[in-house]
Amino acid sequence: MQLGATVSLDDAIALGVTAAPIGADKPMSDAELVELGRPYAKAGITPVQTNGYCNLAAPDEAIRRENVAATRELLRRADLAGSRAVVVGGGHRDPAVPRDVFSAHPDNWKPEAVELLAQSCREVVDGLNLKTTRLSVETWVMTPLDSPKSVRRFLDLVGHKSVGILFDPVNMMNLDRHFRSGAFIAECFDAFGDDIVHVHAKDTKLLAAEFTYKMAEAPIGTGQLDYAELLRQMSRRAQDLPLVVEHLSKGEDYAAAIAHIRGIAKAEGLTFWAPPKA
């Protein structure tokens, strides 16, 4: 496993991590895309993801096809830049906002939603000769990919080596999983661990509210997520599997989160892999 953050290349170098996003979605020529990846290789930084969030399960067929075509082109561009993944969400079936990336709607959890998402992903990668980049679909409790079972079914339906999973355990939290996050993480790795392209790192906590609770994102180390179990599970997979810290606003916050994760890894007797510099 390796450690990364959603920061610039220069900030990744300063933080001492070995994975960071790459902006292959920006307008540029094919030659410029190839050059975009060279500084990452020189620094020994994995270009871990290019964002391509869109609704691949849209109830409007014209919008779904439009998103498939745009994602295909983004995959081609990201591959030229050497990006590990183009990231998309699990989509949704809300007819009121079909262009939105996410929306909670009861049809999101019908079997047909997973089937349509799998169809879209097959259409995205069909016929593409990708050398490095995979289509990585992010898990989230509001989307069709809300459980280990649904993710496994999705992957079986897709059945393509160029499609994998961005595992975000915090995005999948609910009250039951919150209090047994380690067991839930292990369940996810048992179900689809070998198909995980990378993992997003943050934390989760419950905030008391009148007559109910709010499940909130929290800085790493201040919440409930079982990072020891997450690191143990990741260490059993490919050595270059990235854990990517996200959603922090300041460099010192990223540094604190990274230090916390490194401390847990040390206590567990685990180490982070670093890619060679070109």
Side-chain angles (χ1 to χ4, degrees):
M1 60 181 176
Q2 59 179 313
L3 189 55
T6 53
V7 296
S8 69
L9 176 60
D10 288 343
D11 286 344
I13 294 170
L15 288 166
V17 297
T18 63
I22 187 167
D25 54 325
K26 299 179 178 69
M28 60 186 74
S29 68
D30 287 1
E32 289 171 327
L33 286 165
V34 172
E35 287 299 318
L36 183 67
R38 295 195 192 280
Y40 287 79
K42 184 177 180 180
I45 305 289
T46 299
V48 71
Q49 69 180 63
T50 298
N51 290 343
Y53 290 97
C54 64
N55 186 6
L56 290 175
D60 185 308
E61 179 62 9
I63 292 174
R64 187 190 73 85
R65 289 184 178 276
E66 177 185 312
N67 289 338
V68 165
T71 307
R72 278 179 64 83
E73 172 59 15
L74 185 55
L75 268 172
R76 185 193 70 81
R77 294 166 57 82
D79 198 52
L80 287 170
S83 181
R84 182 183 178 96
V86 164
V87 178
V88 296
H92 68 87
R93 300 289 294 159
D94 187 347
V97 285
R99 292 191 181 277
D100 284 9
V101 174
F102 298 116
S103 182
H105 190 275
D107 288 352
N108 291 1
W109 302 285
K110 291 183 177 179
E112 294 83 359
V114 173
E115 292 163 8
L116 184 60
L117 177 62
Q119 176 187 331
S120 293
C121 290
R122 287 195 306 270
E123 291 173 1
V124 167
V125 299
D126 184 45
L128 291 180
N129 183 24
L130 300 170
K131 297 178 181 179
T132 302
T133 309
R134 297 175 71 185
L135 180 63
S136 184
V137 189
E138 187 167 3
T139 58
W140 200 24
V141 73
M142 288 178 65
T143 77
L145 302 189
D146 68 326
S147 69
K149 183 178 179 180
S150 64
V151 173
R152 184 68 261 164
R153 181 167 181 261
F154 163 76
L155 290 165
D156 290 342
L157 287 168
V158 174
H160 198 291
K161 65 180 182 179
S162 291
V163 179
I165 294 296
L166 193 176
F167 177 42
D168 191 322
V170 169
N171 283 3
M172 298 179 79
M173 281 297 116
N174 58 26
L175 283 173
D176 170 61
R177 296 165 183 170
H178 179 82
F179 292 105
R180 56 176 193 91
S181 65
F184 174 68
I185 287 167
E187 183 183 353
C188 288
F189 272 88
D190 286 344
F192 57 86
D194 291 336
D195 292 293
I196 296 174
V197 180
H198 57 304
V199 179
H200 273 173
K202 49 199 186 217
D203 215 330
T204 180
K205 65 167 57 174
L206 283 178
L207 302 179
E210 189 174 7
F211 300 119
T212 185
Y213 286 89
K214 175 183 177 182
M215 185 120 354
E217 190 174 319
I220 292 171
T222 67
Q224 185 76 10
L225 197 73
D226 189 341
Y227 265 93
E229 182 60 25
L230 178 61
L231 295 177
R232 286 192 293 266
Q233 291 291 336
M234 291 186 68
S235 71
R236 298 168 190 160
R237 269 66 189 185
Q239 68 172 359
D240 64 341
L241 179 61
L243 176 65
V244 184
V245 179
E246 67 164 356
H247 290 180
L248 298 173
S249 58
K250 300 177 182 178
E252 52 263 39
D253 294 336
Y254 274 101
I258 289 163
H260 183 80
I261 292 171
R262 289 192 184 278
I264 295 173
K266 183 177 180 180
E268 292 291 322
L270 303 173
T271 57
F272 291 100
W273 175 83
K277 296 180 181 181

